[in-house]
Amino acid sequence: MALIELDLTARPGPAPTSIPPARRYRTAGLLLALALVLVLGGAAAPDALRWRFLGAIPSPPIPESPFQLDGDRVYTAGGLGGDRTVSAWSLADPPVKLWSAPVPAREVGPDQVPYGDVRARTAGDVVVITDGPSTTVVDGRTGETRWHSEIGVHPLTGDRFGLVEDPKFRPGTEYNQAGGAPGDIYFSAAGVPHIEPPLTTEFRGVDLRTGATAWTASAPGSVVFFNHPSGVVVLASDRLTLLSSATGSVLRTTTLPVLSGQRPQSGRLVGDVLLVSYGRSLVAYSVRTFRPLWQVPQAEDVADPGACSGLVCADDRSGTSVLDPATGHVLWHASGADLVRIGSDVLEQDTGTSEALRVSDLRNGDQKLALRGWSSDTPTADDGPLLLRRIGESRDSMFALIDDSPVALRPLGTTHGAVSDCASDSSFVVCRGTGVLQVFSYRG
């Protein structure tokens, strides 16, 4: 089960820039698979889906030029060294460039850790652009710069306010990267590593439109925050606190116990359930009340735990147990698979690869649909359906959608030649081709 460490401000990993090695399929096999897909998807309305190529967006084929699909927009980034440029494109037919905005590149000092590439996302009437912890906010209509911060700003529910998390360390605790001594490392908001945990962590709520500080709060030591519709959930080693996103006022708080000599180590939010790990124990709390719901044992130091997205899970020595969110009872067990919730079902995919294995029943793990030969490497928006793809003999990619009720694969269409990175939502698919982004819509 993927958890967020309380004692680490982890740097984000690099964005994927290529797909896993492609497999070649014989033409007859691919045609047969497509025919089966057509049969499986035949129960749905034929006019519900319509695969259309909208056009191409220029994009240099280099890792420093990522893209993000965000609603009916695509954001692209380019440039090396000095200033970067972020461009917004409307997904019309064909795509239309709305604006380009210069973004100052983050300068990485000798004691700082380099982060990933430039990212952009819409938050109300502004666009929040990040380069590692550095944040630039621009006007969503014009691309004009509104304000800039050297440390990270995390948009909160409602897209009106953002959160700045700023750990404060004891002087003289900076990590000597030249020495490379072993031990735990703790990162500041600017990416400077330290060998001791922070003394306190400051929170600042900021108005995303202006950058003005709306409220401040602090907590001792290292903490983890979670964005929830009811506010900001703050998990510390001794308590849970719910803060108002707009004012920072304390809406709810409770003291967390010590279990078998251990304090909370990490946490994960799944809907209205906050899972707090104590190492050998996993405790579930209701975000609505902060009351404990249940407690179960869990394995520590699992070598290769499977990821678990949108589900309540616990690690054990042989894999992952899927739990009932209300009671903590084990519903079923998965071994050697990452789990992703899709509606009332679960996608199982091979741990460490993007190969889709099967769609399983959320209640008991029974297989509903086999998916061998399909890849699940296309990130999908939270409100979008799950799309799979497979690479044909001519190197183009064929896409299919997983219907939830009844569970079935529905074919969408193919790309124009070979593509690498792809993203999708409830209406669009965008893939990186040679020097361009290929843009498709699939809703009628």
Side-chain angles (χ1 to χ4, degrees), residues 5 265 277 279-280 298-305 315-317:
E5 296 294 334
Q265 299 177 0
S277 173
R280 293 187 296 272
Q298 69 173 359
E300 288 187 291
D301 302 323
V302 179
D304 190 17
D315 294 329
D316 54 47
R317 290 297 180 186

Side-chain angles (χ1 to χ4, degrees), residues 77-150:
L80 295 172
D83 286 347
R84 310 281 181 89
T85 300
V86 172
S87 299
W89 294 78
S90 173
L91 297 186
D93 186 4
V96 176
K97 187 175 183 179
L98 301 176
W99 46 258
S100 290
V103 178
R106 175 175 177 260
E107 296 182 5
V108 180
D111 295 327
Q112 292 176 304
V113 174
Y115 282 71
D117 43 36
V118 178
R119 296 277 159 177
R121 59 155 291 186
T122 303
D125 60 358
V126 299
V127 177
V128 179
I129 302 171
T130 59
D131 181 8
S134 177
T135 302
T136 301
V137 178
V138 303
D139 186 281
R141 294 178 298 104
T142 65
E144 181 180 358
T145 300
R146 293 276 191 95
W147 55 279
H148 178 80
S149 170
E150 290 299 326

